[in-house]
Amino acid sequence: MAEQDEWSSNANEALNISFVQAGQTSPVTLSTFHPRFTYPIFGEEECIFGYQGLKVNIRFAAHNLLPNVSWVYDKEFKAVNDTKALDIEETLQEWLPEGCFEEYASFKARIQDDAGAKDWRPPGELINSYTSRGRKFEVWASDLTDPAVQQLIDRIQILVSLFIEGGTPIPLDDQDWSLARWKVFFV
């Protein structure tokens, strides 16, 4: 048991979720936080076996929610028979869209070089705008049949399972008639 504890990381502490945007010379982190729950992904124990000093970073571009996942660790458990370190990429693949495991350097360059980021607007129709405490806010709406809305939802819905007790991702491959029922609002 002691050896298992030595090679187990608390998934809630090991995961770092960040929102980033282009900066002067390289992307800057706007906010970083830990998830509330990780049991839907890593099991009831909320542990990741096979690493010491593990840090898993899930970053989202602040404008279009493009995700990137990377991880670092001090040591990895050497497999003994069927006992081996958890394959982090394989585990997270079903929770995140394709392409999110690209090298972090490529992700940084993509964010920094995205000319449309500054003028990016959510999909749909602008339905309201207001100012509060000196900041301007806009409310945009569209339905779930819009491919741009589906892309944003697909990119970010891992957060449902990480922050809402018992929350599950929305099946976006449902029939269009049922997706049209759902209005999505962006602020």
Side-chain angles (χ1 to χ4, degrees):
M1 182 69 175
E3 186 172 332
Q4 182 176 348
D5 288 345
E6 179 183 340
W7 290 100
S8 291
S9 301
N10 179 314
N12 293 340
E13 293 171 8
L15 258 67
N16 294 298
I17 301 164
S18 302
F19 288 90
V20 299
Q21 70 180 17
Q24 292 276 340
T25 58
S26 67
V28 294
T29 301
L30 302 175
S31 181
T32 299
F33 46 92
H34 296 285
R36 176 105 166 99
F37 311 104
T38 53
Y39 67 84
I41 299 170
F42 298 106
E44 289 299 319
E45 300 285 322
E46 296 185 319
C47 284
I48 301 171
F49 177 77
Y51 304 92
Q52 291 179 351
L54 177 66
K55 293 291 176 210
V56 179
N57 299 301
I58 303 175
R59 296 176 185 90
F60 295 95
H63 65 291
N64 65 4
L65 305 177
L66 179 70
N68 177 260
V69 179
S70 63
W71 57 93
V72 295
Y73 51 85
D74 298 331
K75 291 183 183 177
E76 182 176 358
F77 183 79
K78 297 212 184 315
V80 177
N81 298 324
D82 291 340
T83 305
K84 61 183 179 181
L86 180 75
D87 185 328
I88 294 170
E89 183 171 341
E90 182 180 301
T91 302
L92 291 175
Q93 269 180 335
E94 70 178 88
W95 297 90
L96 289 160
E98 278 186 47
C100 68
F101 295 98
E102 74 179 328
E103 290 294 321
Y104 179 55
S106 298
F107 175 75
K108 282 178 23 177
R110 212 180 215 209
I111 299 305
Q112 195 62 29
D113 298 339
D114 187 346
K118 186 174 181 170
D119 298 322
W120 187 86
R121 297 286 180 251
E125 174 186 349
L126 176 64
I127 60 170
N128 192 18
S129 62
Y130 62 94
T131 302
S132 176
R133 296 185 178 146
R135 293 182 64 194
K136 182 181 177 187
F137 295 89
E138 297 177 340
V139 180
W140 293 74
S142 187
D143 65 52
L144 209 43
T145 59
D146 183 335
V149 172
Q150 288 183 12
Q151 182 182 53
L152 288 172
I153 297 296
D154 189 41
R155 289 176 171 178
I156 200 75
Q157 68 179 344
I158 188 174
L159 297 183
V160 170
S161 298
L162 295 175
F163 289 97
I164 300 172
E165 179 78 40
T168 56
I170 301 168
L172 295 174
D173 55 358
D174 203 349
Q175 303 266 337
D176 282 351
W177 65 267
S178 66
L179 291 178
R181 301 179 311 155
W182 301 103
K183 270 285 198 222
V184 179
F185 294 89
F186 301 97
V187 179

